[in-house]
Amino acid sequence: MSTSAPSSPLLVVSAHAGDFVWRAAGAIALATARGDRAKVVCLSYGERGESARAWREGKGLAEIKELRRGEAEAAAAELGAEIEFLDAGDYPLRETPELVDRLVRVYREFEPAVVLTHTLADPYNGDHPAAARMALQARVLAQAIGYEAPGEPLGAPPVFFFEPHQPEQCDFKPDVLLDITPVFDRKRKAMECLPAQQHMWDYYTDLAKRRGVQLKRNAGPNLGLPHDTRAEAYVRVYPQTTGELA
Amino acid sequence: MSTSAPSSPLLVVSAHAGDFVWRAAGAIALATARGDRAKVVCLSYGERGESARAWREGKGLAEIKELRRGEAEAAAAELGAEIEFLDAGDYPLRETPELVDRLVRVYREFEPAVVLTHTLADPYNGDHPAAARMALQARVLAQAIGYEAPGEPLGAPPVFFFEPHQPEQCDFKPDVLLDITPVFDRKRKAMECLPAQQHMWDYYTDLAKRRGVQLKRNAGPNLGLPHDTRAEAYVRVYPQTTGELA
Amino acid sequence: MSTSAPSSPLLVVSAHAGDFVWRAAGAIALATARGDRAKVVCLSYGERGESARAWREGKGLAEIKELRRGEAEAAAAELGAEIEFLDAGDYPLRETPELVDRLVRVYREFEPAVVLTHTLADPYNGDHPAAARMALQARVLAQAIGYEAPGEPLGAPPVFFFEPHQPEQCDFKPDVLLDITPVFDRKRKAMECLPAQQHMWDYYTDLAKRRGVQLKRNAGPNLGLPHDTRAEAYVRVYPQTTGELA
Amino acid sequence: MSTSAPSSPLLVVSAHAGDFVWRAAGAIALATARGDRAKVVCLSYGERGESARAWREGKGLAEIKELRRGEAEAAAAELGAEIEFLDAGDYPLRETPELVDRLVRVYREFEPAVVLTHTLADPYNGDHPAAARMALQARVLAQAIGYEAPGEPLGAPPVFFFEPHQPEQCDFKPDVLLDITPVFDRKRKAMECLPAQQHMWDYYTDLAKRRGVQLKRNAGPNLGLPHDTRAEAYVRVYPQTTGELA
Amino acid sequence: MSTSAPSSPLLVVSAHAGDFVWRAAGAIALATARGDRAKVVCLSYGERGESARAWREGKGLAEIKELRRGEAEAAAAELGAEIEFLDAGDYPLRETPELVDRLVRVYREFEPAVVLTHTLADPYNGDHPAAARMALQARVLAQAIGYEAPGEPLGAPPVFFFEPHQPEQCDFKPDVLLDITPVFDRKRKAMECLPAQQHMWDYYTDLAKRRGVQLKRNAGPNLGLPHDTRAEAYVRVYPQTTGELA
Amino acid sequence: MSTSAPSSPLLVVSAHAGDFVWRAAGAIALATARGDRAKVVCLSYGERGESARAWREGKGLAEIKELRRGEAEAAAAELGAEIEFLDAGDYPLRETPELVDRLVRVYREFEPAVVLTHTLADPYNGDHPAAARMALQARVLAQAIGYEAPGEPLGAPPVFFFEPHQPEQCDFKPDVLLDITPVFDRKRKAMECLPAQQHMWDYYTDLAKRRGVQLKRNAGPNLGLPHDTRAEAYVRVYPQTTGELA
């Protein structure tokens, strides 16, 4: 069951334009390297809450959105992923039936085999849990044959929460450590598409190292993992279904 | 990393002689059906706390131990598993450095790729958490090159808690649903090796059905799982390490 | 305090038309067998999210609602309960001040002594927690003398969450095991009023057996409970108030 | 099931000599007022950890034990309860198989219908959780027919944790609020048998008022409970088994 | 970092007009006694849900609001605090973007160094968590330079939850015990500004004593705190940042 | 109360010889830089479980202990701290009354104002929680006037857990972020006293950066903290007692 089907599209639901790069670029690059489709849906550009430098430089709202969009598109291209912007506004990102409905349509059209999104708790950023709640709600609605939207009812793709900035404050206890060593250089390049947040490049490079050390500790020394193993951490939302314990 | 290596020995650490049958026979049968070794270590026979019928029939202690041993051996044989009895006594099963040391030696000799044991909480049975604590402690000790015991330091085999009798009271929130449909008939036959607990046969058959329904719900309708899917539930103790989210 | 008053009306707040049958039919039948009133309020018919077979058979929305209504009415009649449909729509069931206000009016009119509803967490179904939040909010509002609605301010009826389909995933740790043995045949007949979900009949019969085994384990062997004890599990929301520990 | 049988003996397992007075005197007095037996087992006298004043006055160990014993006997007499001292030593109270075995024999002899003890967490006092662990372990052992001790196997008496001094730090979330109004004067008199801790008399009188206000809030205004309702708070360890939700 | 700056304005966000008196008057009086500004924002008057006596006396809505306003103003004056009423309605207090926006403007204008509000859980009162959610959301929005509101982006003032009426039911585990002994008489006088809830005066006086005993226990006997120490309990929401562990 | 007294001795209770360097060197260096005494008590040398390289090089037990002792003494000297080795053995570190008693004597003699130790949960290392349990138990015993050991009864020094290697798996949710920027170079030098674990130097330098970023985020941008802020994370065990919220 958990074997990767011939085609396993990966969907990432992100509150702001840059989130997917710091938190999930490794998973995305692994998917596209395997030949799977990957798609990022940005509910907003993060134009108000996550563009402090641009505001301080005196840029206007439309200009900031365009800037963020361009950066995110470049990063997605680096990772081989598609990207779509719903432009629903941020700070606050408002939960509305209409926005949930748009996500249902994305699920029905894209038919993801795996879904990534934010954690349900984040005391530093209300938009992140709002995005996660909508991603989860839309997934359930897309499964219902009676929900009016084009396409077939969705299956039950597993959902993973990617790592927030302050994991312990967000009740983020990793269930899965994903080995991103083979694609880490692509993650780094994708990060470098976001020049306004240059201090984050090293921060998330360090984090990948730290999670890599933990992956090696959890995998055991006998596997011969390389010294510079890099990893991303995830929380699995629904029970894993499998034919083999491992 | 989570791919099954050519040889993936499965170790089950059980407080009493019968526990492995009700709670993990499916996982054991899947392992031996794949050609892997499986070994059950029973810390006690469950001679005092889980042999009520024999006591009521007036049997003596030695006789009850022999009875329980025979039944457990028959069940293990049905599943293709090895079995070893440490005869450490039950009700209470006492945590001692000597017993932990014996487990360290089992780990070093058997070199398990996967370990199954009880939950750390069980308000109905103090022996179950005691067994789990010793299984976990011995695993860590076996990893240390400085621990004096024959064999090589252990790797980092994942550990799973199998399902207790009253899961919610034991904080048992399943992380993994294991599809045991292909081997369920062998689990049933192994259960039938324990005639004193006949009412449990149907109870755990029903539970396998119920967990099977949940597995189908979590796997999604599109996988075409059969109507009579059977499953066992497990809790994963350490983060999963993997090269692919699925 | 916890003694049953001469009249102890039981109110069940349910997201969809069928929920009360699988999860609370035993409690309802016990109440009506004692001579108490019981009332089920269905916030929706479950027309979109829980009527997959009807949609696959090509039925239309109005027809499906009518079908669900008929089945639920038959099941309620079997249990001796009143039933009311608020037809607020499902998938998603939307939380609105208007719907909460309608529930306040139900509380004020019916004056329940006990309230049953869904759990506050359910990652498989967003309508269930939405119904629970509204049931709890309306109960508090109905207690306020200043809330404008007909009738007297409500007392403080205890609230119980009934059992969800995947209890551990919904943080459902039973506080109360209710002996439904004397009325289980009526629960079975009520389930049989829902022919589209025939596979659930056995599923919830098995669950009643399993909860019955747990009830016997928790009540102790000395009470002489019958072999075929049947039970439903509940979570108590507010502290029990009593004049005697038992 | 939860109806009080003709005889419902109440057993209190207490780490030190005074604990039962502050935390459970109301429950004890209610039991004896109903005509039930009540018995307090003090694992130690609290001679080292809870007798600061006596040590400061220069008293010796034997003298302090005798003093504590006399006070506790007087308080028990006031409540109509039997009392037994196991004199196992405090600060620390050591968990030993022998002490657990003595508790098993108490269970088998006394056949309690209800058990009260400390919480399993208390960062301010290691003896309290040690007493609770032994009380729970002994209860399970006493249920096993194979455990060698005089008497019949124990049933499954419900267990309640009584309220610690700093409840929130001990994860004490009350499940049950017990109305002790009719016997509060006896609790006060029992407290007054412990003159060395006079500041506690008012503290626990205030707490009884505070829990009484909460009891009234949870019971509802319509019950007509008196203004000066007094209560004790408890946590229920195992699910309640009942034939009626209330 | 945690040293009190020359000016440390204290902001209290309260659902109803009286909440700040029972729960945070000590903290407010300490702040104003130090020479800091303190401001209370009442989202509603508590006119429907917390004015039972006035409704029973037949007063009208406008009259009740006026009454509550007068009492709260008197209490704030006693404490030396400013007070502002947003009159957003209670039972239920509705979360709206507009109300959150008004709070953002308060944050930007007042520039609090410390924020106090309700807990996020309260099963007895839906307005309290609603107020807390809005207080937290507005704080994050006020930090964003891109959020359109007058004033400078907010810093990161620590937030504390004050104590609810039934703390354990609200997951209230105190992180901070605040010594309010020097200002307790002012808290008492502020409470006496609310004559309709006279029974609360003693209740919260008793609670202050009880929290004071706990403060002394946690501070240690060597500090020489007075016998009649009075305290308020708080939960810290974000990690403390400091240059010294103490 | 939380103001630093003229003399505030800092006590660190560590399972193995190196733990205090990675996890608490910043706190230690801050203390000694303020002129306070700091003392490290190592319950073992970590000779079996944390000296893998030495074992692989074929060194003997006595030699390894000596090696570890020398390194730890050098690191302590770098930080200006005293250090004492109890040589109780590791893997496993056994909890015994005798070892706890030795810790009581340390508390009574050193009279710490602040205590640092391991977390109570660590699924990767059983010695760490064992050390923490003993450190907490000994602190409570040292407070009792009746406990036979030289010196005066201890006050109530606050206890903080320092950060484990895999914080989320150890339920480590930071309560306190300690600014160690002024002494970070001394921490680095202390780490460099442990040449066998060179890969840890960068790992814990990176962690200090990451915690520094979080400290700045939680302290707010307006404080003007430097770009290269360094921090250590701690969990506070008992409620903070204070005269001012900040």
Side-chain angles (χ1 to χ4, degrees):
Chain A
M1 259 145 292
S2 65
T3 52
S4 123
S7 171
S8 288
L10 173 71
L11 179 66
V12 184
V13 180
S14 176
H16 312 107
D19 294 328
F20 73 95
V21 184
W22 317 114
R23 314 190 186 298
I28 295 169
L30 283 171
T32 58
R34 281 192 312 265
D36 289 325
R37 287 176 70 191
K39 175 168 186 168
V40 179
V41 176
C42 296
L43 301 183
S44 80
Y45 295 107
E47 60 268 20
R48 294 194 182 277
E50 310 205 333
S51 306
R53 179 186 291 195
W55 287 100
R56 277 197 293 267
E57 292 170 356
K59 293 199 170 64
L61 181 61
E63 191 180 7
I64 290 172
K65 284 173 157 192
E66 200 53 42
L67 189 75
R68 299 275 303 184
R69 179 190 186 101
E71 291 174 0
E73 283 174 340
E78 183 61 46
L79 301 169
E82 307 158 47
I83 190 163
E84 182 176 353
F85 302 90
L86 299 191
D87 195 12
D90 77 329
Y91 271 64
L93 172 63
R94 298 199 184 152
E95 290 180 77
T96 63
E98 293 69 31
L99 190 50
V100 171
D101 183 69
R102 291 183 67 183
L103 283 174
V104 173
R105 288 158 195 274
V106 171
Y107 278 107
R108 286 271 179 93
E109 184 278 332
F110 189 67
E111 299 185 82
V114 175
V115 179
L116 312 182
T117 191
H118 296 270
T119 52
L120 286 168
D122 189 337
Y124 298 95
N125 192 315
D127 292 1
H128 293 165
R133 285 192 300 264
M134 288 190 281
L136 291 175
Q137 189 185 7
R139 175 183 169 278
V140 169
L141 297 180
Q143 294 176 319
I145 186 174
Y147 189 92
E148 281 191 334
E152 291 300 303
L154 187 69
V159 181
F160 298 88
F161 296 146
F162 43 63
E163 179 162 354
H165 202 62
Q166 302 200 46
E168 299 93 347
Q169 308 302 324
C170 302
D171 299 332
F172 185 83
K173 180 177 177 179
D175 287 325
V176 182
L177 294 167
L178 179 68
D179 188 344
I180 63 168
T181 313
V183 298
F184 183 73
D185 58 336
R186 295 182 64 194
K187 175 162 187 172
R188 177 77 193 198
K189 281 186 194 146
M191 293 197 287
E192 292 174 0
C193 295
L194 281 63
Q197 292 164 286
Q198 192 163 348
H199 62 287
M200 300 281 263
W201 304 353
D202 285 351
Y203 186 85
Y204 280 94
T205 299
D206 287 348
L207 181 61
K209 272 195 255 175
R210 187 164 160 272
R211 291 300 185 194
V213 170
Q214 293 179 348
L215 184 148
K216 285 195 291 179
R217 175 88 178 256
N218 282 287
N222 305 344
L223 293 192
L225 292 174
H227 179 67
D228 64 342
T229 296
R230 298 287 179 270
E232 284 174 348
Y234 291 90
V235 165
R236 184 188 288 278
V237 181
Y238 297 96
Q240 181 186 11
T241 60
T242 182
E244 179 177 354
L245 295 177
Chain B
M1 255 147 294
S2 64
T3 54
S4 125
S7 171
S8 288
L10 173 71
L11 178 66
V12 183
V13 180
S14 176
H16 312 107
D19 294 330
F20 73 95
V21 184
W22 318 114
R23 315 193 183 297
I28 296 169
L30 282 172
T32 59
R34 280 192 311 264
D36 290 325
R37 284 177 73 192
K39 175 169 186 166
V40 178
V41 176
C42 296
L43 301 183
S44 81
Y45 295 107
E47 60 269 20
R48 295 193 180 278
E50 310 205 332
S51 307
R53 178 186 292 195
W55 287 100
R56 278 197 294 266
E57 293 170 357
K59 294 199 170 63
L61 181 61
E63 192 181 4
I64 289 172
K65 284 174 157 190
E66 200 52 41
L67 189 76
R68 298 276 302 185
R69 181 191 185 99
E71 291 173 1
E73 284 176 339
E78 183 62 46
L79 300 170
E82 307 159 48
I83 189 163
E84 182 178 353
F85 302 91
L86 299 191
D87 194 12
D90 76 329
Y91 270 64
L93 172 63
R94 296 195 187 156
E95 291 181 74
T96 64
E98 293 70 31
L99 189 50
V100 171
D101 183 69
R102 291 183 68 184
L103 282 175
V104 173
R105 288 160 194 273
V106 170
Y107 277 108
R108 285 272 179 92
E109 184 279 333
F110 189 68
E111 300 186 82
V114 174
V115 179
L116 312 182
T117 191
H118 296 269
T119 51
L120 286 168
D122 189 336
Y124 298 95
N125 192 316
D127 293 0
H128 293 165
R133 286 192 299 264
M134 288 191 280
L136 292 176
Q137 188 185 7
R139 174 182 169 279
V140 169
L141 297 179
Q143 293 176 321
I145 186 174
Y147 189 92
E148 280 191 332
E152 290 301 304
L154 187 69
V159 181
F160 298 88
F161 296 147
F162 42 64
E163 179 162 354
H165 200 63
Q166 301 200 44
E168 298 93 348
Q169 306 302 323
C170 302
D171 299 331
F172 184 83
K173 181 178 175 177
D175 285 326
V176 183
L177 294 166
L178 179 69
D179 188 344
I180 62 167
T181 313
V183 298
F184 183 73
D185 57 338
R186 293 184 65 194
K187 175 164 186 170
R188 177 77 194 198
K189 281 186 193 144
M191 293 198 288
E192 293 174 0
C193 296
L194 281 63
Q197 292 164 285
Q198 192 164 348
H199 63 288
M200 301 281 263
W201 304 353
D202 284 352
Y203 187 85
Y204 280 95
T205 298
D206 286 348
L207 180 62
K209 272 194 254 174
R210 190 164 159 269
R211 293 299 186 195
V213 169
Q214 293 178 350
L215 184 148
K216 285 195 291 179
R217 175 86 179 254
N218 282 286
N222 306 343
L223 293 192
L225 291 174
H227 178 66
D228 64 343
T229 296
R230 299 285 179 272
E232 285 174 347
Y234 291 90
V235 164
R236 184 187 288 278
V237 180
Y238 297 96
Q240 181 186 12
T241 60
T242 183
E244 179 178 353
L245 295 177
Chain C
M1 258 145 295
S2 65
T3 52
S4 124
S7 171
S8 288
L10 172 71
L11 178 66
V12 184
V13 180
S14 175
H16 312 107
D19 293 329
F20 73 95
V21 184
W22 317 114
R23 314 191 185 298
I28 296 169
L30 282 172
T32 58
R34 279 192 312 265
D36 289 325
R37 285 177 71 191
K39 174 169 186 167
V40 179
V41 175
C42 296
L43 303 182
S44 82
Y45 295 106
E47 60 269 20
R48 294 192 181 279
E50 309 206 332
S51 307
R53 179 187 290 195
W55 287 100
R56 276 197 295 268
E57 291 171 356
K59 293 199 170 64
L61 181 61
E63 190 181 6
I64 290 171
K65 284 174 156 191
E66 200 52 42
L67 189 75
R68 299 276 302 186
R69 180 191 185 98
E71 292 174 0
E73 285 175 338
E78 183 61 47
L79 300 170
E82 306 158 49
I83 190 163
E84 181 177 355
F85 302 91
L86 299 192
D87 194 13
D90 76 330
Y91 271 63
L93 172 63
R94 295 194 188 157
E95 289 180 77
T96 63
E98 293 71 28
L99 189 50
V100 171
D101 182 69
R102 291 183 66 183
L103 282 174
V104 173
R105 288 159 194 273
V106 170
Y107 278 106
R108 287 272 179 91
E109 184 278 333
F110 189 68
E111 299 186 84
V114 175
V115 179
L116 311 182
T117 191
H118 296 270
T119 52
L120 285 169
D122 189 336
Y124 299 95
N125 193 314
D127 292 1
H128 293 164
R133 286 191 299 265
M134 288 189 281
L136 291 175
Q137 190 184 5
R139 174 182 169 280
V140 169
L141 297 179
Q143 293 176 319
I145 187 173
Y147 189 90
E148 281 192 333
E152 290 301 303
L154 187 68
V159 181
F160 298 88
F161 296 147
F162 43 63
E163 179 161 354
H165 201 63
Q166 301 200 46
E168 298 94 348
Q169 307 302 324
C170 302
D171 300 331
F172 184 83
K173 180 177 177 178
D175 286 325
V176 183
L177 294 167
L178 179 68
D179 188 344
I180 61 167
T181 313
V183 298
F184 183 72
D185 56 338
R186 294 183 66 193
K187 175 163 186 172
R188 177 77 193 198
K189 281 185 193 145
M191 293 197 287
E192 292 175 1
C193 297
L194 281 62
Q197 292 164 286
Q198 192 164 350
H199 62 288
M200 302 280 264
W201 304 353
D202 284 352
Y203 186 86
Y204 280 94
T205 298
D206 286 348
L207 181 62
K209 274 194 251 174
R210 188 164 160 270
R211 291 300 184 194
V213 170
Q214 294 178 348
L215 183 149
K216 285 195 291 180
R217 176 86 177 257
N218 283 287
N222 305 343
L223 294 193
L225 293 173
H227 179 68
D228 64 343
T229 296
R230 299 285 179 271
E232 284 174 347
Y234 290 88
V235 165
R236 184 187 289 276
V237 180
Y238 297 95
Q240 181 187 10
T241 59
T242 183
E244 177 177 355
L245 295 177
Chain D
M1 254 148 296
S2 64
T3 53
S4 125
S7 171
S8 289
L10 173 71
L11 178 66
V12 183
V13 181
S14 175
H16 312 106
D19 293 329
F20 73 94
V21 184
W22 318 114
R23 313 190 187 300
I28 295 169
L30 283 172
T32 58
R34 280 193 310 265
D36 290 324
R37 285 176 71 193
K39 175 169 186 167
V40 178
V41 176
C42 295
L43 301 183
S44 80
Y45 295 106
E47 60 269 20
R48 294 193 182 279
E50 311 205 333
S51 307
R53 178 187 291 194
W55 287 101
R56 276 197 294 266
E57 292 169 357
K59 294 200 169 63
L61 182 60
E63 191 181 5
I64 290 172
K65 283 174 158 189
E66 201 50 42
L67 190 75
R68 299 277 301 187
R69 179 190 185 99
E71 292 174 0
E73 284 175 340
E78 182 63 45
L79 300 170
E82 307 158 48
I83 189 163
E84 182 177 354
F85 302 91
L86 299 190
D87 193 14
D90 76 329
Y91 271 64
L93 172 63
R94 295 196 186 155
E95 290 180 76
T96 63
E98 292 71 30
L99 190 50
V100 171
D101 183 68
R102 291 182 67 183
L103 282 175
V104 173
R105 287 160 195 272
V106 170
Y107 278 108
R108 285 272 180 93
E109 184 277 334
F110 189 68
E111 299 186 83
V114 174
V115 180
L116 311 183
T117 191
H118 296 271
T119 52
L120 286 168
D122 189 336
Y124 298 95
N125 193 315
D127 293 0
H128 293 166
R133 286 191 299 265
M134 288 190 281
L136 292 175
Q137 189 185 6
R139 175 183 169 279
V140 169
L141 297 180
Q143 294 175 321
I145 185 174
Y147 189 92
E148 280 191 332
E152 291 301 303
L154 186 69
V159 181
F160 298 87
F161 296 146
F162 43 63
E163 178 160 355
H165 201 64
Q166 301 200 45
E168 298 92 349
Q169 306 301 324
C170 301
D171 300 331
F172 184 83
K173 181 178 174 178
D175 286 325
V176 183
L177 295 167
L178 179 69
D179 188 344
I180 61 167
T181 313
V183 296
F184 183 73
D185 56 338
R186 294 183 65 194
K187 175 164 186 170
R188 178 75 194 200
K189 282 184 193 146
M191 293 197 287
E192 292 174 1
C193 296
L194 282 62
Q197 293 164 284
Q198 191 165 349
H199 62 288
M200 301 281 263
W201 304 353
D202 284 351
Y203 187 84
Y204 280 95
T205 298
D206 286 349
L207 181 62
K209 273 194 254 174
R210 189 166 158 268
R211 292 301 186 193
V213 170
Q214 293 178 350
L215 184 149
K216 285 194 290 179
R217 175 85 178 258
N218 281 286
N222 305 343
L223 294 192
L225 293 173
H227 179 66
D228 65 342
T229 296
R230 297 288 178 268
E232 283 174 348
Y234 291 89
V235 164
R236 183 187 289 278
V237 181
Y238 298 96
Q240 180 187 12
T241 58
T242 183
E244 178 177 354
L245 296 176
Chain E
M1 257 145 294
S2 63
T3 52
S4 124
S7 171
S8 288
L10 172 71
L11 177 66
V12 183
V13 180
S14 176
H16 311 106
D19 294 328
F20 73 94
V21 184
W22 318 114
R23 315 191 185 297
I28 295 168
L30 283 171
T32 58
R34 280 192 311 266
D36 290 323
R37 284 177 71 191
K39 174 168 187 168
V40 178
V41 175
C42 296
L43 302 183
S44 80
Y45 295 107
E47 60 269 22
R48 295 193 181 278
E50 311 205 333
S51 307
R53 179 186 291 196
W55 287 100
R56 277 197 294 268
E57 293 170 354
K59 294 199 169 65
L61 182 61
E63 191 182 5
I64 291 171
K65 285 175 157 189
E66 201 51 42
L67 188 76
R68 300 276 302 186
R69 179 190 186 100
E71 292 173 0
E73 284 175 340
E78 183 61 46
L79 300 169
E82 307 158 47
I83 190 161
E84 181 177 355
F85 301 91
L86 299 191
D87 194 12
D90 76 330
Y91 271 63
L93 173 62
R94 298 199 185 153
E95 289 180 76
T96 63
E98 292 70 30
L99 188 52
V100 171
D101 183 69
R102 292 182 67 184
L103 282 174
V104 173
R105 288 160 195 273
V106 170
Y107 279 107
R108 286 270 178 92
E109 185 277 334
F110 189 69
E111 299 187 83
V114 174
V115 179
L116 312 182
T117 190
H118 296 271
T119 52
L120 286 169
D122 189 337
Y124 299 94
N125 193 314
D127 292 0
H128 294 165
R133 286 192 298 265
M134 288 190 281
L136 291 176
Q137 189 185 6
R139 174 184 170 278
V140 170
L141 297 180
Q143 294 176 320
I145 186 174
Y147 189 92
E148 281 191 333
E152 289 302 302
L154 186 70
V159 181
F160 297 88
F161 296 147
F162 43 64
E163 179 161 354
H165 200 64
Q166 301 201 46
E168 299 94 345
Q169 308 301 326
C170 301
D171 300 332
F172 184 84
K173 180 177 176 179
D175 286 326
V176 182
L177 294 167
L178 178 69
D179 189 344
I180 62 168
T181 314
V183 298
F184 183 73
D185 57 337
R186 294 183 64 195
K187 174 163 186 170
R188 176 78 193 197
K189 282 185 192 145
M191 293 197 288
E192 293 174 1
C193 295
L194 282 63
Q197 292 163 286
Q198 192 164 346
H199 62 288
M200 302 280 263
W201 303 354
D202 284 351
Y203 186 85
Y204 280 95
T205 298
D206 286 348
L207 180 63
K209 272 195 253 173
R210 188 165 160 268
R211 293 300 186 193
V213 171
Q214 294 178 348
L215 184 148
K216 285 195 291 180
R217 175 86 178 257
N218 282 285
N222 306 342
L223 293 192
L225 292 174
H227 178 68
D228 65 342
T229 296
R230 298 286 179 268
E232 284 174 347
Y234 291 90
V235 165
R236 184 187 287 278
V237 180
Y238 298 95
Q240 179 186 13
T241 60
T242 182
E244 178 178 353
L245 295 177
Chain F
M1 254 147 296
S2 65
T3 54
S4 124
S7 171
S8 289
L10 172 70
L11 177 66
V12 183
V13 180
S14 175
H16 311 108
D19 294 329
F20 73 94
V21 184
W22 317 115
R23 314 192 185 298
I28 296 168
L30 283 172
T32 59
R34 282 193 309 264
D36 290 323
R37 285 176 71 193
K39 174 169 188 167
V40 178
V41 176
C42 295
L43 302 184
S44 81
Y45 295 107
E47 60 269 21
R48 295 194 181 279
E50 309 206 332
S51 306
R53 179 186 290 194
W55 287 100
R56 277 197 295 266
E57 292 170 356
K59 294 199 169 64
L61 182 60
E63 192 181 5
I64 290 172
K65 284 173 155 190
E66 201 52 42
L67 189 76
R68 298 276 302 186
R69 179 189 185 100
E71 292 174 1
E73 284 175 338
E78 183 62 46
L79 300 170
E82 307 157 49
I83 189 162
E84 182 177 354
F85 302 91
L86 299 190
D87 194 13
D90 77 329
Y91 272 64
L93 172 62
R94 295 194 188 159
E95 290 180 76
T96 63
E98 293 70 30
L99 189 51
V100 172
D101 183 68
R102 292 183 66 184
L103 283 175
V104 173
R105 287 159 195 274
V106 170
Y107 278 107
R108 285 272 179 92
E109 184 278 333
F110 189 68
E111 299 187 82
V114 175
V115 180
L116 312 182
T117 191
H118 296 270
T119 52
L120 286 169
D122 189 337
Y124 299 95
N125 193 313
D127 292 1
H128 293 164
R133 285 191 300 264
M134 288 190 282
L136 292 175
Q137 189 185 5
R139 174 183 170 280
V140 169
L141 297 180
Q143 293 176 321
I145 186 174
Y147 189 92
E148 281 191 332
E152 290 301 303
L154 185 70
V159 181
F160 298 88
F161 297 146
F162 44 62
E163 178 161 354
H165 201 62
Q166 301 200 46
E168 298 93 347
Q169 308 301 323
C170 302
D171 300 331
F172 184 83
K173 180 177 176 179
D175 285 326
V176 182
L177 295 166
L178 179 68
D179 188 344
I180 62 168
T181 313
V183 297
F184 183 74
D185 57 337
R186 295 183 65 195
K187 175 164 187 170
R188 177 77 194 198
K189 281 184 193 147
M191 293 197 287
E192 292 174 2
C193 296
L194 281 62
Q197 293 164 283
Q198 192 164 348
H199 63 287
M200 301 281 263
W201 304 353
D202 284 352
Y203 186 85
Y204 280 93
T205 299
D206 286 348
L207 180 63
K209 270 194 256 176
R210 188 166 160 268
R211 292 301 185 193
V213 170
Q214 294 177 349
L215 184 148
K216 285 196 290 180
R217 175 86 178 257
N218 282 286
N222 305 343
L223 293 192
L225 293 173
H227 178 67
D228 64 343
T229 296
R230 299 287 179 269
E232 285 174 347
Y234 291 89
V235 164
R236 183 187 289 277
V237 180
Y238 297 96
Q240 180 186 11
T241 59
T242 183
E244 177 177 354
L245 296 178

